Amino acid sequence: MEKGNLLVKNASELVTVSGYQAKAGKEMSDLHIIENGTVVIENGIITQVGKANEVVKQIDESKYHVIDATGKAVLPGFVDSHTHFVFGGYRPDEFSWRLQGVSYMEIMNRGGGIVNTVKSTREASKEKLINEGRKRLDSMLTFGVTTVEGKSGYGLDYETEIKQLDAMQELDQEHPIDIVKTFLGAHAVPKEYKGKEDAFITFMIEKVLPEVAERKLAQFCDIFCEENVFSIEQSRRLLTEAKKLGMGIKFHADEIVQIGGAELAAELGATSADHLLQASDQGIKDMAKAGVVATLLPGTAFSLKESYARARYMIDNHCPVALATDLNPGSCFTESIPLLFALATLYMEMTTEEAVTALTLNGAAALGRADKIGSIDVGKQGDIVILEFPSYNYIPYHIGVNTVEKVIKNGVLVFDKEKKKEETFKF
Ligand code: NIG
Ligand code: FE
């Protein structure tokens, strides 16, 4: 029996989310569900999708691993399209300070925050970063994540930025989760460049970006475009250079202060603009017109006690919305997909259907991969999640609890709640 040949049959709901590009507006509500559905995967690629009684008749079951999904919902693997999962050290003290009323930006301006993690990440060996990163990936897999985006940005120097990207490259090769790498060399201003932000951007453009592009260490370039961090002009300069080198663009925009990040994303044709808590009406409309995905990170708004991004306004104005965790050691330390569903549905006026689309097909689009992942369609990777309940509706309803029973990556069972890790990988 070929590895990656798998038949998942009789799903009470086969939630295909069908599509090959980002969905906007009302399209986000249509999950293209097949009742009593079956999926056939051959050599890791989906080859048939349909009603069980139609598909199974023509299939020789002895050639496949077979999973009977009677009474269970089957969905595309989740795509967590914005994380900072490779880092050294932790910052629990900052969480306590925030509880006492000190803001995230105040902590950063006092010399804490991101640069604190920069210190421990510079000190950590690549092996240490890999070992810690692996544990976080293992945890994400249990939540049904089959593709994750990971950023550098805790080096802010040549060696450490490259070390972080190399660590992710190695993890990508060894771990079932696919990793899409983003270069975030301009995540904060390091001590040695305080007051010399323009020179720091020049350093990134001249000394680090070319190597990242040349060695294909990252597919995307990111920047923390924010008041008192990097300006619109500095962001435009770095991102334009990245684009010239053939990289995609996705960046932290209009998170704390409205400075025109959404407008810049539209102007540059970014793949996504992320956070957007303060994005203007015009910026959102510009993004919709330019087809930029709005990647919303409600875990961060929740953890920083900020108001949420205006998902309803964005969707109603045809801007495609994706949801992601933003897992990082500072503003939002979580890999929890159930938390995202809870926040999106209960606090952001998103329907459950929209949240499912945002975490699958639109997440894939935020990584430029909607043609390969994010839905259960013929020709896509066999990345699939099986819930322990009969409907996708149970995901937000079972508040904050993981409802994922099995995860399949490229047609191979890689997580099963009922089995130990060693047994699962032998499947
Ligand atoms: O997306 N806002 C900037 N960057 C991260 C936080 C990184 C950190 O605090 O370590 C974010 O929230
Ligand atoms: Fe982030």
Coordinates of all heavy atoms in Angstrom, one line a residue, residues 382-427:
G382 N -3.4 16.5 0.3 CA -4.3 15.8 1.2 C -4.1 16.2 2.6 O -3.6 15.4 3.4
D383 N -4.4 17.4 3.0 CA -4.3 17.9 4.3 C -5.7 18.1 4.9 O -6.5 18.9 4.5 CB -3.6 19.3 4.3 CG -2.2 19.3 3.8 OD1 -1.7 18.2 3.5 OD2 -1.6 20.4 3.6
I384 N -6.0 17.2 5.9 CA -7.3 17.1 6.4 C -7.4 17.0 7.9 O -6.6 16.4 8.6 CB -8.0 15.9 5.7 CG1 -8.3 16.3 4.3 CG2 -9.2 15.3 6.4 CD1 -8.8 15.2 3.4
V385 N -8.5 17.5 8.4 CA -8.8 17.4 9.9 C -10.1 16.7 10.1 O -11.1 16.9 9.4 CB -8.9 18.8 10.5 CG1 -9.6 18.8 11.8 CG2 -7.6 19.5 10.6
I386 N -10.1 15.7 11.0 CA -11.4 15.0 11.4 C -11.7 15.4 12.8 O -10.9 15.3 13.7 CB -11.2 13.5 11.2 CG1 -10.7 13.1 9.8 CG2 -12.5 12.8 11.6 CD1 -10.5 11.7 9.6
L387 N -12.9 15.9 13.0 CA -13.4 16.3 14.3 C -14.0 15.1 15.0 O -14.4 14.1 14.4 CB -14.5 17.4 14.2 CG -14.1 18.7 13.5 CD1 -15.3 19.7 13.7 CD2 -12.8 19.3 14.0
E388 N -14.1 15.2 16.4 CA -14.8 14.1 17.1 C -16.3 14.4 17.1 O -17.0 13.6 17.8 CB -14.2 13.9 18.5 CG -14.0 15.2 19.3 CD -13.2 15.0 20.5 OE1 -12.7 13.9 20.8 OE2 -13.0 16.0 21.2
F389 N -16.8 15.4 16.4 CA -18.2 15.7 16.4 C -18.7 15.7 15.0 O -18.0 15.9 14.0 CB -18.4 17.1 17.1 CG -18.2 17.1 18.6 CD1 -17.0 17.7 19.1 CD2 -19.1 16.5 19.4 CE1 -16.8 17.7 20.4 CE2 -18.8 16.5 20.8 CZ -17.7 17.1 21.3
P390 N -20.1 15.6 14.8 CA -20.6 15.5 13.5 C -20.7 16.8 12.6 O -21.0 16.7 11.4 CB -22.1 15.0 13.7 CG -22.4 15.4 15.1 CD -21.1 15.4 15.9
S391 N -20.4 18.0 13.2 CA -20.5 19.2 12.5 C -19.5 20.2 12.8 O -19.0 20.3 14.0 CB -21.9 19.8 12.7 OG -22.0 21.1 12.2
Y392 N -19.1 21.0 11.8 CA -18.1 22.1 12.1 C -18.7 23.1 13.1 O -17.9 23.8 13.8 CB -17.8 22.8 10.8 CG -19.0 23.6 10.2 CD1 -19.1 25.0 10.6 CD2 -19.9 23.0 9.4 CE1 -20.2 25.7 10.1 CE2 -21.0 23.7 9.0 CZ -21.2 25.0 9.3 OH -22.2 25.7 8.9
N393 N -20.0 23.1 13.3 CA -20.6 24.0 14.3 C -20.2 23.7 15.7 O -20.3 24.6 16.6 CB -22.1 23.8 14.3 CG -22.8 24.7 13.3 OD1 -22.5 25.9 13.3 ND2 -23.8 24.2 12.6
Y394 N -19.6 22.5 16.0 CA -19.2 22.2 17.3 C -17.9 22.9 17.7 O -17.5 23.0 18.8 CB -19.0 20.7 17.5 CG -20.2 19.9 17.6 CD1 -21.1 19.8 16.6 CD2 -20.5 19.3 18.9 CE1 -22.3 19.0 16.7 CE2 -21.7 18.6 19.0 CZ -22.6 18.5 18.0 OH -23.8 17.8 18.1
I395 N -17.2 23.5 16.7 CA -15.9 24.0 17.0 C -16.0 25.2 17.9 O -15.4 25.2 19.0 CB -15.1 24.4 15.7 CG1 -14.9 23.2 14.7 CG2 -13.7 24.9 16.1 CD1 -14.2 23.6 13.4
P396 N -16.8 26.3 17.6 CA -16.9 27.4 18.5 C -17.8 27.1 19.7 O -17.7 27.6 20.8 CB -17.5 28.5 17.7 CG -18.2 27.9 16.6 CD -17.5 26.6 16.3
Y397 N -18.8 26.2 19.4 CA -19.8 25.8 20.5 C -19.1 25.1 21.7 O -19.4 25.4 22.8 CB -20.8 24.9 19.8 CG -21.7 24.1 20.7 CD1 -22.5 24.7 21.7 CD2 -21.7 22.7 20.6 CE1 -23.3 23.9 22.5 CE2 -22.5 21.9 21.4 CZ -23.3 22.5 22.3 OH -24.1 21.8 23.2
H398 N -18.1 24.3 21.4 CA -17.4 23.7 22.5 C -16.3 24.7 22.9 O -15.1 24.5 22.4 CB -16.8 22.3 22.0 CG -16.4 21.4 23.2 ND1 -16.9 21.6 24.5 CD2 -15.7 20.3 23.2 CE1 -16.4 20.6 25.2 NE2 -15.7 19.8 24.5
I399 N -16.6 25.7 23.7 CA -15.8 26.9 23.8 C -14.4 26.6 24.3 O -14.2 26.0 25.4 CB -16.5 27.9 24.7 CG1 -17.8 28.3 24.1 CG2 -15.6 29.1 25.0 CD1 -18.7 29.1 25.0
G400 N -13.4 27.0 23.5 CA -12.0 26.9 24.0 C -11.5 25.5 24.1 O -10.4 25.4 24.6
V401 N -12.2 24.5 23.6 CA -11.7 23.1 23.8 C -11.4 22.6 22.4 O -12.1 22.9 21.4 CB -12.8 22.3 24.5 CG1 -12.4 20.8 24.5 CG2 -13.1 22.8 25.9
N402 N -10.4 21.8 22.3 CA -9.9 21.2 21.0 C -10.9 20.1 20.6 O -11.0 19.1 21.3 CB -8.5 20.7 21.2 CG -7.9 20.4 19.8 OD1 -8.4 20.7 18.8 ND2 -6.8 19.7 19.8
T403 N -11.5 20.2 19.5 CA -12.4 19.2 19.0 C -11.8 18.3 17.9 O -12.5 17.5 17.3 CB -13.7 19.9 18.4 OG1 -13.3 20.8 17.4 CG2 -14.5 20.6 19.5
V404 N -10.5 18.5 17.7 CA -9.9 17.8 16.6 C -9.5 16.3 17.1 O -8.9 16.2 18.1 CB -8.6 18.5 16.1 CG1 -7.7 17.6 15.2 CG2 -8.9 19.8 15.5
E405 N -9.9 15.3 16.3 CA -9.6 13.9 16.7 C -8.4 13.4 15.9 O -7.6 12.7 16.4 CB -10.8 13.1 16.4 CG -10.7 11.7 16.8 CD -11.8 10.8 16.5 OE1 -12.8 10.8 17.2 OE2 -11.8 10.1 15.4
K406 N -8.4 13.7 14.6 CA -7.3 13.2 13.7 C -6.9 14.3 12.8 O -7.6 15.1 12.3 CB -7.8 12.0 12.9 CG -8.1 10.7 13.6 CD -8.5 9.6 12.7 CE -8.7 8.3 13.4 NZ -9.8 8.3 14.4
V407 N -5.6 14.2 12.4 CA -5.0 15.2 11.4 C -4.3 14.3 10.4 O -3.5 13.4 10.7 CB -4.1 16.2 12.1 CG1 -3.5 17.2 11.1 CG2 -4.8 16.9 13.2
I408 N -4.5 14.7 9.1 CA -3.9 14.0 8.0 C -3.1 15.0 7.2 O -3.6 16.1 6.9 CB -5.0 13.3 7.1 CG1 -5.6 12.2 7.9 CG2 -4.4 12.8 5.8 CD1 -7.1 12.0 7.6
K409 N -1.8 14.6 7.0 CA -1.0 15.5 6.2 C -0.5 14.8 4.9 O 0.1 13.7 5.1 CB 0.2 16.0 7.0 CG 1.2 16.9 6.3 CD 0.6 18.3 6.1 CE 1.4 19.1 5.2 NZ 0.8 20.3 4.8
N410 N -0.7 15.4 3.8 CA -0.3 14.7 2.5 C -0.8 13.2 2.5 O -0.1 12.3 2.1 CB 1.2 14.7 2.3 CG 1.7 16.1 2.1 OD1 1.0 17.0 1.5 ND2 2.8 16.5 2.6
G411 N -2.0 13.0 3.0 CA -2.6 11.6 2.9 C -2.1 10.7 4.0 O -2.4 9.5 4.0
V412 N -1.3 11.2 5.0 CA -0.8 10.3 6.0 C -1.3 10.8 7.4 O -1.3 12.0 7.7 CB 0.8 10.4 6.1 CG1 1.3 9.6 7.2 CG2 1.4 9.9 4.7
L413 N -1.8 9.9 8.2 CA -2.3 10.2 9.5 C -1.1 10.6 10.4 O -0.2 9.9 10.7 CB -3.0 9.0 10.1 CG -3.7 9.2 11.5 CD1 -4.9 10.1 11.4 CD2 -4.0 7.9 12.1
V414 N -1.1 11.9 10.8 CA 0.0 12.4 11.6 C -0.4 12.7 13.1 O 0.5 13.0 13.9 CB 0.7 13.6 11.0 CG1 1.5 13.2 9.7 CG2 -0.3 14.7 10.6
F415 N -1.7 12.8 13.4 CA -2.1 12.9 14.7 C -3.4 12.2 14.9 O -4.3 12.3 14.1 CB -2.3 14.4 15.1 CG -2.9 14.6 16.4 CD1 -2.3 14.4 17.6 CD2 -4.3 15.0 16.5 CE1 -2.9 14.5 18.8 CE2 -4.9 15.2 17.7 CZ -4.2 15.0 18.9
D416 N -3.5 11.5 16.0 CA -4.7 10.8 16.4 C -4.8 10.9 17.9 O -4.0 10.4 18.6 CB -4.6 9.3 15.9 CG -6.0 8.6 16.1 OD1 -6.8 9.1 16.8 OD2 -6.2 7.6 15.4
K417 N -5.9 11.5 18.4 CA -6.1 11.7 19.8 C -6.0 10.4 20.6 O -5.6 10.4 21.7 CB -7.5 12.4 20.0 CG -7.5 13.3 21.1 CD -8.9 14.0 21.1 CE -8.7 15.5 21.7 NZ -9.9 16.3 21.4
E418 N -6.5 9.3 19.9 CA -6.5 8.1 20.6 C -5.2 7.3 20.7 O -5.1 6.4 21.4 CB -7.6 7.2 19.9 CG -8.9 7.2 20.6 CD -10.0 7.7 19.7 OE1 -10.2 7.1 18.6 OE2 -10.6 8.8 20.0
K419 N -4.3 7.7 19.8 CA -3.0 7.0 19.8 C -1.8 7.8 20.3 O -1.9 9.0 20.2 CB -2.7 6.6 18.4 CG -3.7 5.5 17.8 CD -3.2 5.0 16.5 CE -4.3 4.1 15.9 NZ -4.2 4.0 14.5
K420 N -0.8 7.1 20.7 CA 0.4 7.8 21.1 C 1.1 8.3 19.9 O 1.0 7.7 18.8 CB 1.3 6.8 21.9 CG 0.8 6.6 23.3 CD 2.0 6.0 24.1 CE 1.6 4.9 25.1 NZ 1.4 3.6 24.5
K421 N 2.0 9.3 20.0 CA 2.7 9.9 18.9 C 3.4 8.8 18.0 O 3.2 8.8 16.8 CB 3.7 10.9 19.4 CG 4.3 11.8 18.3 CD 5.1 12.9 19.0 CE 6.0 13.5 17.9 NZ 7.0 14.4 18.5
E422 N 4.1 7.9 18.7 CA 4.9 6.9 18.0 C 4.0 6.1 17.1 O 4.4 5.8 15.9 CB 5.7 6.0 18.9 CG 6.5 6.7 20.0 CD 5.6 7.1 21.2 OE1 5.1 6.3 21.8 OE2 5.5 8.4 21.4
E423 N 2.9 5.7 17.6 CA 2.0 4.8 16.8 C 1.4 5.5 15.6 O 1.3 5.0 14.5 CB 0.8 4.3 17.7 CG 1.2 3.4 18.8 CD 0.0 3.2 19.7 OE1 -1.1 2.9 19.2 OE2 0.2 3.2 21.0
T424 N 1.1 6.8 15.8 CA 0.5 7.6 14.8 C 1.3 7.7 13.5 O 0.9 7.4 12.4 CB 0.2 9.0 15.2 OG1 -0.4 9.0 16.5 CG2 -0.7 9.8 14.3
F425 N 2.6 8.0 13.7 CA 3.5 8.1 12.6 C 3.8 6.8 11.8 O 4.2 6.9 10.7 CB 4.8 8.8 13.0 CG 4.7 10.3 13.3 CD1 4.4 10.7 14.6 CD2 4.8 11.2 12.3 CE1 4.2 12.1 14.8 CE2 4.6 12.5 12.5 CZ 4.3 13.0 13.8
K426 N 3.5 5.7 12.4 CA 3.7 4.4 11.8 C 2.6 4.1 10.8 O 2.7 3.2 10.0 CB 3.7 3.3 12.8 CG 5.1 3.2 13.4 CD 5.3 1.9 14.2 CE 6.3 2.0 15.3 NZ 5.8 1.5 16.5
F427 N 1.5 4.8 10.9 CA 0.3 4.5 10.1 C 0.6 4.3 8.6 O 1.4 5.1 8.0 CB -0.7 5.7 10.2 CG -2.0 5.4 9.5 CD1 -3.0 4.8 10.2 CD2 -2.2 5.9 8.3 CE1 -4.3 4.6 9.6 CE2 -3.5 5.7 7.7 CZ -4.5 5.1 8.3

